[in-house]
Amino acid sequence: EQNYFTVAQKAAPELFQVNPQSAWELFIEGNAITDKLNAIPLIKQMGIAQRSKDAQQATTTMRLGQDYCLELESDLEGYCVAFEGYQGHWHPLPLGADARRLRANTIKGIQHLPKDANGDPIPLVELDDAGLHTFVCVVSSDKTIPTEMRELAKLNHDSSIFEVHRVAINFVT
């Protein structure tokens, strides 16, 4: 269904009525907050991030090979999962201390993602794919927040339970 929706829909239209990719896109469009998630460069010499409020303008353009992290300002304390979209395909973005941990704890206020066990930012880097990448972070006060797009797209649209944050980054050479 996820990779061959049109084939699945032709084979069993009663089972495959809504493209899961479309459901995810509709979920994002209906819930996205666009001003509380930013991409910030990580300064290699100092090994720490520059706060976006200290920068002249939030960075939306990054060079391929440049270390960065996501800076999230959340109104909820809880848990966060993230996804990266590129050329119509979405991929989970691990936010925890290692690549197996898709969820990260969040606090109310500003934090950097992904983060290690001490809360320090873990650098992200794009090496190969220039162009527009979209990052979506879903924050929930419920620790059982799903880590799959299909399940997240089914969440009740009650903004007091979850937040959906989106930022687009253009990677250039």
Side-chain angles (χ1 to χ4, degrees):
E1 176 188 29
Q2 199 167 21
N3 295 318
Y4 301 100
F5 177 75
T6 54
V7 174
Q9 190 175 42
K10 287 179 185 174
E14 67 282 356
L15 295 177
F16 305 104
Q17 296 177 9
V18 177
N19 186 332
Q21 193 76 9
S22 298
W24 173 245
E25 296 286 341
L26 289 171
F27 173 75
I28 294 169
E29 286 303 315
N31 296 287
I33 301 167
T34 57
D35 60 346
K36 293 188 174 186
L37 181 64
N38 296 299
I40 59 170
L42 292 176
I43 303 165
K44 289 186 179 185
Q45 296 88 339
M46 295 175 55
I48 59 172
Q50 176 183 357
R51 292 187 172 269
S52 65
K53 67 180 180 182
D54 297 335
Q56 295 288 48
Q57 188 176 21
T59 303
T60 56
T61 299
M62 298 275 179
R63 293 225 174 264
L64 289 176
Q66 181 178 6
D67 285 352
Y68 68 98
C69 73
L70 300 176
E71 182 179 75
L72 171 67
E73 182 179 351
S74 177
D75 293 331
L76 291 177
E77 183 174 322
Y79 304 87
C80 181
V81 294
F83 300 88
E84 178 180 1
Y86 177 69
Q87 294 186 342
H89 298 284
W90 288 90
H91 309 277
L93 179 64
L95 297 177
D98 60 51
R100 297 175 312 195
R101 301 185 196 282
L102 297 177
R103 289 182 189 96
N105 294 341
T106 58
I107 59 170
K108 284 186 181 182
I110 296 174
Q111 58 230 291
H112 296 109
L113 298 170
K115 58 186 174 181
D116 63 20
N118 296 325
D120 296 325
I122 298 172
L124 297 170
V125 64
E126 178 58 51
L127 298 173
D128 302 316
D129 298 316
L132 194 64
H133 293 241
T134 301
F135 293 84
V136 172
C137 290
V138 181
V139 181
S140 175
S141 55
D142 184 355
K143 69 179 176 180
T144 63
I145 183 174
T147 58
E148 296 179 5
M149 294 182 308
R150 179 183 304 176
E151 296 303 314
L152 286 166
K154 294 177 186 177
L155 288 177
N156 183 348
H157 298 282
D158 179 356
S159 61
S160 65
I161 296 174
F162 70 90
E163 299 173 337
V164 180
H165 299 273
R166 173 180 56 190
V167 67
I169 304 171
N170 187 30
F171 289 97
V172 297
T173 54

